[in-house]
Amino acid sequence: ETGVTQSPTHLIKTRGQQVTLRCSSQSGHNTVSWYQQALGQGPQFIFQYYREEENGRGNFPPRFSGLQFPNYSSELNVNALELDDSALYLCASSLVGRSYTGELFFGEGSRLTVL
Amino acid sequence: GNSVTQMEGPVTLSEEAFLTINCTYTATGYPSLFWYVQYPGEGLQLLLKATKADDKGSNKGFEATYRKETTSFHLEKGSVQVSDSAVYFCALVPGGGADGLTFGKGTHLIIQP
């Protein structure tokens, strides 16, 4: 059983650029969610995808967007990068059945630095 | 809105000491409560959970009881080990799950031999 993998692990961008982060879900999981973790803070929910559709979103602007593919892998795209977007971006997968359990399996994250 | 407040760290203890990390929450409805742990160099992983009032979650010697009357979910362990050194996050999810998990800021635990 493979875990959640994310790429790249580290990247540096400049303000105004665009970035795409990628995530491969744990085998058998049908739901993927993304979180932003600023230094010294807890993760903050960005959005969640189930069956290739966004079915939940946190308090993030539209320049944060995502995709989920038929194989349940996912992308997080951020346009018009700002300095405050510098953070660790975490992908988490889960298996959602009749009820939501909140048991998420996290990757190690992609650390984004915006200069 | 939903929020989680947990004690600030770092918390430094000696091996075999008793551990309590406080967590209180604010939420609408009846959320499920979680403790996640992040060991050095690893991703977040679920430590334990409780889904309704008075439930006790337990794992690896850690315990936490869902207290609706005090809106708390304190993490306890009777005898900590050096290997317990990590960052611990209290979290909640409202019923349905579409709002994602709401996490506290995390508590860095350091266990000295």
Side-chain angles (χ1 to χ4, degrees), chain A residues 35 37 40-43 45 48 55-57 90 100-104 106-108, chain B residues 34 36 38 41-44 46 49 89 93 96-101 103-105:
Chain A
Y35 289 78
Q37 187 177 14
Q41 303 295 313
F45 176 64
Q48 176 175 281
N55 75 337
R57 189 176 185 95
L90 298 171
Y100 183 85
T101 67
E103 296 183 53
L104 304 183
F106 283 86
E108 293 186 35
Chain B
F34 307 85
Y36 276 81
Q38 190 169 36
E42 299 184 18
L44 275 167
L46 178 65
K49 70 172 187 176
F89 293 91
V93 65
D99 294 334
L101 289 174
F103 284 88
K105 291 186 176 181

PDB file of all heavy atoms in Angstrom, chain A residues 35 37 40-43 45 48 55-57 90 100-104 106-108, chain B residues 34 36 38 41-44 46 49 89 93 96-101 103-105:
ATOM      1  N   TYR A  35      -4.442  21.526   2.317  1.00  0.00           N
ATOM      2  CA  TYR A  35      -4.316  22.412   3.472  1.00  0.00           C
ATOM      3  C   TYR A  35      -3.072  23.280   3.311  1.00  0.00           C
ATOM      4  O   TYR A  35      -2.068  22.841   2.749  1.00  0.00           O
ATOM      5  CB  TYR A  35      -4.198  21.610   4.771  1.00  0.00           C
ATOM      6  CG  TYR A  35      -5.481  20.926   5.189  1.00  0.00           C
ATOM      7  CD1 TYR A  35      -5.901  19.753   4.576  1.00  0.00           C
ATOM      8  CD2 TYR A  35      -6.280  21.462   6.186  1.00  0.00           C
ATOM      9  CE1 TYR A  35      -7.086  19.136   4.939  1.00  0.00           C
ATOM     10  CE2 TYR A  35      -7.466  20.845   6.578  1.00  0.00           C
ATOM     11  CZ  TYR A  35      -7.852  19.692   5.939  1.00  0.00           C
ATOM     12  OH  TYR A  35      -9.036  19.087   6.323  1.00  0.00           O
ATOM     13  N   GLN A  37      -0.245  25.301   5.566  1.00  0.00           N
ATOM     14  CA  GLN A  37       0.299  25.408   6.913  1.00  0.00           C
ATOM     15  C   GLN A  37       1.409  26.453   6.936  1.00  0.00           C
ATOM     16  O   GLN A  37       2.520  26.201   6.461  1.00  0.00           O
ATOM     17  CB  GLN A  37       0.823  24.058   7.405  1.00  0.00           C
ATOM     18  CG  GLN A  37       1.256  24.085   8.863  1.00  0.00           C
ATOM     19  CD  GLN A  37       1.704  22.725   9.389  1.00  0.00           C
ATOM     20  OE1 GLN A  37       1.941  21.793   8.619  1.00  0.00           O
ATOM     21  NE2 GLN A  37       1.796  22.601  10.703  1.00  0.00           N
ATOM     22  N   GLY A  40       4.674  27.758  12.120  1.00  0.00           N
ATOM     23  CA  GLY A  40       4.208  27.905  13.494  1.00  0.00           C
ATOM     24  C   GLY A  40       2.701  27.868  13.670  1.00  0.00           C
ATOM     25  O   GLY A  40       2.195  28.140  14.762  1.00  0.00           O
ATOM     26  N   GLN A  41       1.985  27.548  12.607  1.00  0.00           N
ATOM     27  CA  GLN A  41       0.522  27.496  12.670  1.00  0.00           C
ATOM     28  C   GLN A  41       0.023  26.095  12.356  1.00  0.00           C
ATOM     29  O   GLN A  41       0.762  25.251  11.844  1.00  0.00           O
ATOM     30  CB  GLN A  41      -0.083  28.477  11.650  1.00  0.00           C
ATOM     31  CG  GLN A  41       0.364  29.907  11.820  1.00  0.00           C
ATOM     32  CD  GLN A  41      -0.105  30.509  13.116  1.00  0.00           C
ATOM     33  OE1 GLN A  41      -1.283  30.381  13.485  1.00  0.00           O
ATOM     34  NE2 GLN A  41       0.799  31.151  13.843  1.00  0.00           N
ATOM     35  N   GLY A  42      -1.258  25.870  12.651  1.00  0.00           N
ATOM     36  CA  GLY A  42      -1.873  24.625  12.253  1.00  0.00           C
ATOM     37  C   GLY A  42      -2.311  24.679  10.800  1.00  0.00           C
ATOM     38  O   GLY A  42      -2.440  25.768  10.223  1.00  0.00           O
ATOM     39  N   PRO A  43      -2.533  23.536  10.190  1.00  0.00           N
ATOM     40  CA  PRO A  43      -3.006  23.519   8.799  1.00  0.00           C
ATOM     41  C   PRO A  43      -4.370  24.199   8.671  1.00  0.00           C
ATOM     42  O   PRO A  43      -5.216  24.076   9.559  1.00  0.00           O
ATOM     43  CB  PRO A  43      -3.115  22.022   8.491  1.00  0.00           C
ATOM     44  CG  PRO A  43      -2.210  21.351   9.465  1.00  0.00           C
ATOM     45  CD  PRO A  43      -2.293  22.181  10.710  1.00  0.00           C
ATOM     46  N   PHE A  45      -7.686  24.564   6.040  1.00  0.00           N
ATOM     47  CA  PHE A  45      -8.377  23.890   4.953  1.00  0.00           C
ATOM     48  C   PHE A  45      -8.542  24.806   3.751  1.00  0.00           C
ATOM     49  O   PHE A  45      -9.078  25.908   3.875  1.00  0.00           O
ATOM     50  CB  PHE A  45      -9.736  23.425   5.459  1.00  0.00           C
ATOM     51  CG  PHE A  45     -10.631  22.794   4.433  1.00  0.00           C
ATOM     52  CD1 PHE A  45     -10.273  21.606   3.820  1.00  0.00           C
ATOM     53  CD2 PHE A  45     -11.844  23.369   4.109  1.00  0.00           C
ATOM     54  CE1 PHE A  45     -11.111  21.009   2.893  1.00  0.00           C
ATOM     55  CE2 PHE A  45     -12.693  22.790   3.193  1.00  0.00           C
ATOM     56  CZ  PHE A  45     -12.330  21.604   2.576  1.00  0.00           C
ATOM     57  N   GLN A  48     -11.633  20.613  -0.891  1.00  0.00           N
ATOM     58  CA  GLN A  48     -11.722  19.156  -0.921  1.00  0.00           C
ATOM     59  C   GLN A  48     -12.380  18.737  -2.229  1.00  0.00           C
ATOM     60  O   GLN A  48     -13.304  19.399  -2.715  1.00  0.00           O
ATOM     61  CB  GLN A  48     -12.562  18.673   0.256  1.00  0.00           C
ATOM     62  CG  GLN A  48     -12.828  17.181   0.305  1.00  0.00           C
ATOM     63  CD  GLN A  48     -13.565  16.810   1.568  1.00  0.00           C
ATOM     64  OE1 GLN A  48     -12.982  16.703   2.628  1.00  0.00           O
ATOM     65  NE2 GLN A  48     -14.871  16.619   1.447  1.00  0.00           N
ATOM     66  N   ASN A  55     -16.177  19.759  -3.377  1.00  0.00           N
ATOM     67  CA  ASN A  55     -17.380  19.633  -2.537  1.00  0.00           C
ATOM     68  C   ASN A  55     -17.197  20.280  -1.175  1.00  0.00           C
ATOM     69  O   ASN A  55     -17.957  20.009  -0.252  1.00  0.00           O
ATOM     70  CB  ASN A  55     -17.804  18.173  -2.396  1.00  0.00           C
ATOM     71  CG  ASN A  55     -16.922  17.391  -1.452  1.00  0.00           C
ATOM     72  OD1 ASN A  55     -15.784  17.763  -1.220  1.00  0.00           O
ATOM     73  ND2 ASN A  55     -17.436  16.301  -0.903  1.00  0.00           N
ATOM     74  N   GLY A  56     -16.199  21.146  -1.067  1.00  0.00           N
ATOM     75  CA  GLY A  56     -16.007  21.898   0.168  1.00  0.00           C
ATOM     76  C   GLY A  56     -14.854  22.846  -0.021  1.00  0.00           C
ATOM     77  O   GLY A  56     -13.884  22.517  -0.709  1.00  0.00           O
ATOM     78  N   ARG A  57     -14.950  24.040   0.567  1.00  0.00           N
ATOM     79  CA  ARG A  57     -13.911  25.042   0.386  1.00  0.00           C
ATOM     80  C   ARG A  57     -13.781  25.881   1.641  1.00  0.00           C
ATOM     81  O   ARG A  57     -14.794  26.244   2.262  1.00  0.00           O
ATOM     82  CB  ARG A  57     -14.234  25.951  -0.807  1.00  0.00           C
ATOM     83  CG  ARG A  57     -13.099  26.884  -1.183  1.00  0.00           C
ATOM     84  CD  ARG A  57     -13.444  27.700  -2.433  1.00  0.00           C
ATOM     85  NE  ARG A  57     -12.296  28.488  -2.838  1.00  0.00           N
ATOM     86  CZ  ARG A  57     -11.406  28.114  -3.748  1.00  0.00           C
ATOM     87  NH1 ARG A  57     -11.549  26.971  -4.374  1.00  0.00           N
ATOM     88  NH2 ARG A  57     -10.381  28.886  -4.061  1.00  0.00           N
ATOM     89  N   LEU A  90      -0.132  20.936   2.230  1.00  0.00           N
ATOM     90  CA  LEU A  90      -0.342  19.534   2.562  1.00  0.00           C
ATOM     91  C   LEU A  90      -1.511  18.976   1.772  1.00  0.00           C
ATOM     92  O   LEU A  90      -2.566  19.601   1.673  1.00  0.00           O
ATOM     93  CB  LEU A  90      -0.639  19.388   4.054  1.00  0.00           C
ATOM     94  CG  LEU A  90       0.450  19.841   5.012  1.00  0.00           C
ATOM     95  CD1 LEU A  90      -0.066  19.841   6.443  1.00  0.00           C
ATOM     96  CD2 LEU A  90       1.666  18.938   4.902  1.00  0.00           C
ATOM     97  N   TYR A 100     -18.670  10.765   6.792  1.00  0.00           N
ATOM     98  CA  TYR A 100     -17.329  11.339   6.778  1.00  0.00           C
ATOM     99  C   TYR A 100     -16.693  11.088   8.137  1.00  0.00           C
ATOM    100  O   TYR A 100     -17.217  11.483   9.153  1.00  0.00           O
ATOM    101  CB  TYR A 100     -17.423  12.839   6.492  1.00  0.00           C
ATOM    102  CG  TYR A 100     -16.097  13.525   6.371  1.00  0.00           C
ATOM    103  CD1 TYR A 100     -15.404  13.544   5.169  1.00  0.00           C
ATOM    104  CD2 TYR A 100     -15.517  14.157   7.472  1.00  0.00           C
ATOM    105  CE1 TYR A 100     -14.186  14.189   5.058  1.00  0.00           C
ATOM    106  CE2 TYR A 100     -14.302  14.799   7.362  1.00  0.00           C
ATOM    107  CZ  TYR A 100     -13.646  14.811   6.161  1.00  0.00           C
ATOM    108  OH  TYR A 100     -12.438  15.439   6.046  1.00  0.00           O
ATOM    109  N   THR A 101     -15.527  10.457   8.143  1.00  0.00           N
ATOM    110  CA  THR A 101     -14.909  10.092   9.416  1.00  0.00           C
ATOM    111  C   THR A 101     -13.866  11.092   9.875  1.00  0.00           C
ATOM    112  O   THR A 101     -13.498  11.096  11.041  1.00  0.00           O
ATOM    113  CB  THR A 101     -14.245   8.717   9.311  1.00  0.00           C
ATOM    114  OG1 THR A 101     -13.137   8.816   8.405  1.00  0.00           O
ATOM    115  CG2 THR A 101     -15.230   7.671   8.831  1.00  0.00           C
ATOM    116  N   GLY A 102     -13.360  11.901   8.980  1.00  0.00           N
ATOM    117  CA  GLY A 102     -12.299  12.840   9.333  1.00  0.00           C
ATOM    118  C   GLY A 102     -10.937  12.196   9.447  1.00  0.00           C
ATOM    119  O   GLY A 102      -9.984  12.839   9.871  1.00  0.00           O
ATOM    120  N   GLU A 103     -10.801  10.937   9.070  1.00  0.00           N
ATOM    121  CA  GLU A 103      -9.508  10.264   9.142  1.00  0.00           C
ATOM    122  C   GLU A 103      -8.765  10.531   7.843  1.00  0.00           C
ATOM    123  O   GLU A 103      -9.067   9.939   6.815  1.00  0.00           O
ATOM    124  CB  GLU A 103      -9.695   8.770   9.356  1.00  0.00           C
ATOM    125  CG  GLU A 103     -10.356   8.448  10.681  1.00  0.00           C
ATOM    126  CD  GLU A 103     -10.468   6.955  10.900  1.00  0.00           C
ATOM    127  OE1 GLU A 103      -9.451   6.259  10.798  1.00  0.00           O
ATOM    128  OE2 GLU A 103     -11.599   6.493  11.178  1.00  0.00           O
ATOM    129  N   LEU A 104      -7.821  11.430   7.914  1.00  0.00           N
ATOM    130  CA  LEU A 104      -7.069  11.834   6.743  1.00  0.00           C
ATOM    131  C   LEU A 104      -5.663  11.246   6.775  1.00  0.00           C
ATOM    132  O   LEU A 104      -5.073  11.097   7.835  1.00  0.00           O
ATOM    133  CB  LEU A 104      -6.965  13.356   6.671  1.00  0.00           C
ATOM    134  CG  LEU A 104      -8.272  14.132   6.684  1.00  0.00           C
ATOM    135  CD1 LEU A 104      -7.998  15.618   6.531  1.00  0.00           C
ATOM    136  CD2 LEU A 104      -9.200  13.645   5.590  1.00  0.00           C
ATOM    137  N   PHE A 106      -2.037  12.118   5.357  1.00  0.00           N
ATOM    138  CA  PHE A 106      -1.329  13.281   4.832  1.00  0.00           C
ATOM    139  C   PHE A 106      -0.026  12.898   4.149  1.00  0.00           C
ATOM    140  O   PHE A 106       0.666  11.953   4.567  1.00  0.00           O
ATOM    141  CB  PHE A 106      -0.993  14.247   5.966  1.00  0.00           C
ATOM    142  CG  PHE A 106      -2.154  15.072   6.440  1.00  0.00           C
ATOM    143  CD1 PHE A 106      -3.016  14.594   7.406  1.00  0.00           C
ATOM    144  CD2 PHE A 106      -2.384  16.335   5.914  1.00  0.00           C
ATOM    145  CE1 PHE A 106      -4.092  15.349   7.849  1.00  0.00           C
ATOM    146  CE2 PHE A 106      -3.447  17.102   6.357  1.00  0.00           C
ATOM    147  CZ  PHE A 106      -4.308  16.600   7.323  1.00  0.00           C
ATOM    148  N   GLY A 107       0.306  13.674   3.115  1.00  0.00           N
ATOM    149  CA  GLY A 107       1.644  13.624   2.565  1.00  0.00           C
ATOM    150  C   GLY A 107       2.576  14.502   3.391  1.00  0.00           C
ATOM    151  O   GLY A 107       2.144  15.162   4.344  1.00  0.00           O
ATOM    152  N   GLU A 108       3.851  14.523   3.005  1.00  0.00           N
ATOM    153  CA  GLU A 108       4.826  15.304   3.757  1.00  0.00           C
ATOM    154  C   GLU A 108       4.839  16.777   3.363  1.00  0.00           C
ATOM    155  O   GLU A 108       5.474  17.579   4.028  1.00  0.00           O
ATOM    156  CB  GLU A 108       6.217  14.693   3.607  1.00  0.00           C
ATOM    157  CG  GLU A 108       6.332  13.330   4.272  1.00  0.00           C
ATOM    158  CD  GLU A 108       7.738  12.791   4.264  1.00  0.00           C
ATOM    159  OE1 GLU A 108       8.689  13.595   4.376  1.00  0.00           O
ATOM    160  OE2 GLU A 108       7.906  11.565   4.157  1.00  0.00           O
TER     161      GLU A 108
ATOM    162  N   PHE B  34     -10.357  15.210  17.073  1.00  0.00           N
ATOM    163  CA  PHE B  34      -9.183  14.426  16.700  1.00  0.00           C
ATOM    164  C   PHE B  34      -7.929  14.987  17.369  1.00  0.00           C
ATOM    165  O   PHE B  34      -7.832  16.177  17.644  1.00  0.00           O
ATOM    166  CB  PHE B  34      -8.953  14.481  15.180  1.00  0.00           C
ATOM    167  CG  PHE B  34     -10.142  14.096  14.364  1.00  0.00           C
ATOM    168  CD1 PHE B  34     -11.118  15.028  14.058  1.00  0.00           C
ATOM    169  CD2 PHE B  34     -10.287  12.797  13.901  1.00  0.00           C
ATOM    170  CE1 PHE B  34     -12.226  14.681  13.305  1.00  0.00           C
ATOM    171  CE2 PHE B  34     -11.391  12.441  13.154  1.00  0.00           C
ATOM    172  CZ  PHE B  34     -12.358  13.380  12.845  1.00  0.00           C
ATOM    173  N   TYR B  36      -4.015  14.798  15.956  1.00  0.00           N
ATOM    174  CA  TYR B  36      -3.055  14.392  14.947  1.00  0.00           C
ATOM    175  C   TYR B  36      -1.650  14.677  15.490  1.00  0.00           C
ATOM    176  O   TYR B  36      -1.451  15.605  16.264  1.00  0.00           O
ATOM    177  CB  TYR B  36      -3.262  15.174  13.649  1.00  0.00           C
ATOM    178  CG  TYR B  36      -4.330  14.594  12.748  1.00  0.00           C
ATOM    179  CD1 TYR B  36      -5.680  14.857  12.973  1.00  0.00           C
ATOM    180  CD2 TYR B  36      -3.984  13.781  11.670  1.00  0.00           C
ATOM    181  CE1 TYR B  36      -6.661  14.316  12.147  1.00  0.00           C
ATOM    182  CE2 TYR B  36      -4.947  13.247  10.843  1.00  0.00           C
ATOM    183  CZ  TYR B  36      -6.283  13.515  11.077  1.00  0.00           C
ATOM    184  OH  TYR B  36      -7.242  12.975  10.255  1.00  0.00           O
ATOM    185  N   GLN B  38       2.633  14.991  14.412  1.00  0.00           N
ATOM    186  CA  GLN B  38       3.635  15.149  13.360  1.00  0.00           C
ATOM    187  C   GLN B  38       5.005  14.874  13.951  1.00  0.00           C
ATOM    188  O   GLN B  38       5.563  15.711  14.674  1.00  0.00           O
ATOM    189  CB  GLN B  38       3.558  16.555  12.783  1.00  0.00           C
ATOM    190  CG  GLN B  38       4.379  16.787  11.534  1.00  0.00           C
ATOM    191  CD  GLN B  38       4.021  18.121  10.900  1.00  0.00           C
ATOM    192  OE1 GLN B  38       3.742  19.108  11.567  1.00  0.00           O
ATOM    193  NE2 GLN B  38       4.021  18.161   9.578  1.00  0.00           N
ATOM    194  N   GLY B  41      10.275  15.044  10.487  1.00  0.00           N
ATOM    195  CA  GLY B  41      10.547  14.509   9.157  1.00  0.00           C
ATOM    196  C   GLY B  41       9.430  13.667   8.574  1.00  0.00           C
ATOM    197  O   GLY B  41       9.618  13.047   7.523  1.00  0.00           O
ATOM    198  N   GLU B  42       8.269  13.639   9.223  1.00  0.00           N
ATOM    199  CA  GLU B  42       7.160  12.821   8.732  1.00  0.00           C
ATOM    200  C   GLU B  42       5.916  13.674   8.521  1.00  0.00           C
ATOM    201  O   GLU B  42       5.820  14.801   8.999  1.00  0.00           O
ATOM    202  CB  GLU B  42       6.853  11.696   9.721  1.00  0.00           C
ATOM    203  CG  GLU B  42       8.007  10.737   9.945  1.00  0.00           C
ATOM    204  CD  GLU B  42       7.623   9.591  10.861  1.00  0.00           C
ATOM    205  OE1 GLU B  42       6.410   9.358  11.048  1.00  0.00           O
ATOM    206  OE2 GLU B  42       8.536   8.931  11.382  1.00  0.00           O
ATOM    207  N   GLY B  43       4.947  13.117   7.799  1.00  0.00           N
ATOM    208  CA  GLY B  43       3.676  13.798   7.605  1.00  0.00           C
ATOM    209  C   GLY B  43       2.768  13.659   8.815  1.00  0.00           C
ATOM    210  O   GLY B  43       2.983  12.805   9.679  1.00  0.00           O
ATOM    211  N   LEU B  44       1.746  14.494   8.863  1.00  0.00           N
ATOM    212  CA  LEU B  44       0.738  14.394   9.915  1.00  0.00           C
ATOM    213  C   LEU B  44       0.077  13.024   9.895  1.00  0.00           C
ATOM    214  O   LEU B  44      -0.214  12.494   8.820  1.00  0.00           O
ATOM    215  CB  LEU B  44      -0.355  15.437   9.685  1.00  0.00           C
ATOM    216  CG  LEU B  44      -0.143  16.839  10.221  1.00  0.00           C
ATOM    217  CD1 LEU B  44      -1.176  17.779   9.624  1.00  0.00           C
ATOM    218  CD2 LEU B  44      -0.249  16.835  11.727  1.00  0.00           C
ATOM    219  N   LEU B  46      -2.988  10.538  12.078  1.00  0.00           N
ATOM    220  CA  LEU B  46      -4.031  10.492  13.091  1.00  0.00           C
ATOM    221  C   LEU B  46      -3.542   9.714  14.300  1.00  0.00           C
ATOM    222  O   LEU B  46      -3.039   8.603  14.184  1.00  0.00           O
ATOM    223  CB  LEU B  46      -5.280   9.832  12.512  1.00  0.00           C
ATOM    224  CG  LEU B  46      -6.458   9.672  13.469  1.00  0.00           C
ATOM    225  CD1 LEU B  46      -7.006  11.033  13.885  1.00  0.00           C
ATOM    226  CD2 LEU B  46      -7.555   8.830  12.820  1.00  0.00           C
ATOM    227  N   LYS B  49      -9.243   9.583  17.923  1.00  0.00           N
ATOM    228  CA  LYS B  49     -10.411  10.387  17.620  1.00  0.00           C
ATOM    229  C   LYS B  49     -11.575   9.998  18.536  1.00  0.00           C
ATOM    230  O   LYS B  49     -11.574   8.926  19.160  1.00  0.00           O
ATOM    231  CB  LYS B  49     -10.838  10.207  16.167  1.00  0.00           C
ATOM    232  CG  LYS B  49     -11.423   8.840  15.861  1.00  0.00           C
ATOM    233  CD  LYS B  49     -12.008   8.809  14.455  1.00  0.00           C
ATOM    234  CE  LYS B  49     -12.746   7.492  14.217  1.00  0.00           C
ATOM    235  NZ  LYS B  49     -13.422   7.449  12.898  1.00  0.00           N
ATOM    236  N   PHE B  89      -1.450  18.168  17.226  1.00  0.00           N
ATOM    237  CA  PHE B  89      -2.505  19.078  16.769  1.00  0.00           C
ATOM    238  C   PHE B  89      -3.866  18.534  17.176  1.00  0.00           C
ATOM    239  O   PHE B  89      -4.201  17.388  16.862  1.00  0.00           O
ATOM    240  CB  PHE B  89      -2.485  19.217  15.243  1.00  0.00           C
ATOM    241  CG  PHE B  89      -1.276  19.902  14.692  1.00  0.00           C
ATOM    242  CD1 PHE B  89      -0.155  19.173  14.324  1.00  0.00           C
ATOM    243  CD2 PHE B  89      -1.260  21.279  14.523  1.00  0.00           C
ATOM    244  CE1 PHE B  89       0.971  19.799  13.804  1.00  0.00           C
ATOM    245  CE2 PHE B  89      -0.146  21.921  13.997  1.00  0.00           C
ATOM    246  CZ  PHE B  89       0.965  21.171  13.647  1.00  0.00           C
ATOM    247  N   VAL B  93     -13.990  18.352  13.114  1.00  0.00           N
ATOM    248  CA  VAL B  93     -14.735  18.434  11.859  1.00  0.00           C
ATOM    249  C   VAL B  93     -16.209  18.409  12.200  1.00  0.00           C
ATOM    250  O   VAL B  93     -16.670  17.570  12.979  1.00  0.00           O
ATOM    251  CB  VAL B  93     -14.355  17.297  10.884  1.00  0.00           C
ATOM    252  CG1 VAL B  93     -14.760  15.935  11.420  1.00  0.00           C
ATOM    253  CG2 VAL B  93     -14.967  17.535   9.512  1.00  0.00           C
ATOM    254  N   GLY B  96     -20.746  16.013   8.480  1.00  0.00           N
ATOM    255  CA  GLY B  96     -20.777  16.173   7.025  1.00  0.00           C
ATOM    256  C   GLY B  96     -19.403  16.233   6.401  1.00  0.00           C
ATOM    257  O   GLY B  96     -19.168  15.634   5.365  1.00  0.00           O
ATOM    258  N   GLY B  97     -18.501  16.973   7.006  1.00  0.00           N
ATOM    259  CA  GLY B  97     -17.121  16.959   6.551  1.00  0.00           C
ATOM    260  C   GLY B  97     -16.773  17.907   5.426  1.00  0.00           C
ATOM    261  O   GLY B  97     -15.597  18.081   5.122  1.00  0.00           O
ATOM    262  N   ALA B  98     -17.745  18.541   4.807  1.00  0.00           N
ATOM    263  CA  ALA B  98     -17.430  19.364   3.636  1.00  0.00           C
ATOM    264  C   ALA B  98     -16.649  20.614   4.010  1.00  0.00           C
ATOM    265  O   ALA B  98     -16.072  21.251   3.134  1.00  0.00           O
ATOM    266  CB  ALA B  98     -18.704  19.751   2.901  1.00  0.00           C
ATOM    267  N   ASP B  99     -16.633  20.978   5.286  1.00  0.00           N
ATOM    268  CA  ASP B  99     -15.873  22.149   5.718  1.00  0.00           C
ATOM    269  C   ASP B  99     -14.430  21.809   6.052  1.00  0.00           C
ATOM    270  O   ASP B  99     -13.681  22.673   6.467  1.00  0.00           O
ATOM    271  CB  ASP B  99     -16.531  22.776   6.944  1.00  0.00           C
ATOM    272  CG  ASP B  99     -17.900  23.362   6.627  1.00  0.00           C
ATOM    273  OD1 ASP B  99     -18.112  23.726   5.458  1.00  0.00           O
ATOM    274  OD2 ASP B  99     -18.733  23.432   7.538  1.00  0.00           O
ATOM    275  N   GLY B 100     -14.029  20.584   5.900  1.00  0.00           N
ATOM    276  CA  GLY B 100     -12.668  20.191   6.223  1.00  0.00           C
ATOM    277  C   GLY B 100     -12.410  20.206   7.711  1.00  0.00           C
ATOM    278  O   GLY B 100     -13.271  20.541   8.517  1.00  0.00           O
ATOM    279  N   LEU B 101     -11.182  19.821   8.080  1.00  0.00           N
ATOM    280  CA  LEU B 101     -10.776  19.840   9.473  1.00  0.00           C
ATOM    281  C   LEU B 101     -10.345  21.245   9.870  1.00  0.00           C
ATOM    282  O   LEU B 101      -9.698  21.948   9.090  1.00  0.00           O
ATOM    283  CB  LEU B 101      -9.604  18.886   9.700  1.00  0.00           C
ATOM    284  CG  LEU B 101      -9.908  17.389   9.627  1.00  0.00           C
ATOM    285  CD1 LEU B 101      -8.615  16.592   9.716  1.00  0.00           C
ATOM    286  CD2 LEU B 101     -10.837  16.979  10.736  1.00  0.00           C
ATOM    287  N   PHE B 103      -7.927  22.945  12.576  1.00  0.00           N
ATOM    288  CA  PHE B 103      -6.824  22.555  13.459  1.00  0.00           C
ATOM    289  C   PHE B 103      -6.484  23.667  14.446  1.00  0.00           C
ATOM    290  O   PHE B 103      -6.645  24.867  14.140  1.00  0.00           O
ATOM    291  CB  PHE B 103      -5.562  22.282  12.628  1.00  0.00           C
ATOM    292  CG  PHE B 103      -5.556  20.984  11.884  1.00  0.00           C
ATOM    293  CD1 PHE B 103      -6.099  20.891  10.615  1.00  0.00           C
ATOM    294  CD2 PHE B 103      -4.972  19.854  12.441  1.00  0.00           C
ATOM    295  CE1 PHE B 103      -6.079  19.699   9.921  1.00  0.00           C
ATOM    296  CE2 PHE B 103      -4.938  18.653  11.757  1.00  0.00           C
ATOM    297  CZ  PHE B 103      -5.495  18.576  10.496  1.00  0.00           C
ATOM    298  N   GLY B 104      -5.959  23.262  15.605  1.00  0.00           N
ATOM    299  CA  GLY B 104      -5.307  24.207  16.484  1.00  0.00           C
ATOM    300  C   GLY B 104      -3.917  24.515  15.955  1.00  0.00           C
ATOM    301  O   GLY B 104      -3.494  23.977  14.931  1.00  0.00           O
ATOM    302  N   LYS B 105      -3.187  25.375  16.675  1.00  0.00           N
ATOM    303  CA  LYS B 105      -1.877  25.818  16.201  1.00  0.00           C
ATOM    304  C   LYS B 105      -0.790  24.782  16.438  1.00  0.00           C
ATOM    305  O   LYS B 105       0.318  24.911  15.914  1.00  0.00           O
ATOM    306  CB  LYS B 105      -1.490  27.127  16.882  1.00  0.00           C
ATOM    307  CG  LYS B 105      -2.340  28.313  16.452  1.00  0.00           C
ATOM    308  CD  LYS B 105      -1.821  29.599  17.050  1.00  0.00           C
ATOM    309  CE  LYS B 105      -2.633  30.781  16.533  1.00  0.00           C
ATOM    310  NZ  LYS B 105      -2.137  32.074  17.083  1.00  0.00           N
TER     311      LYS B 105
END
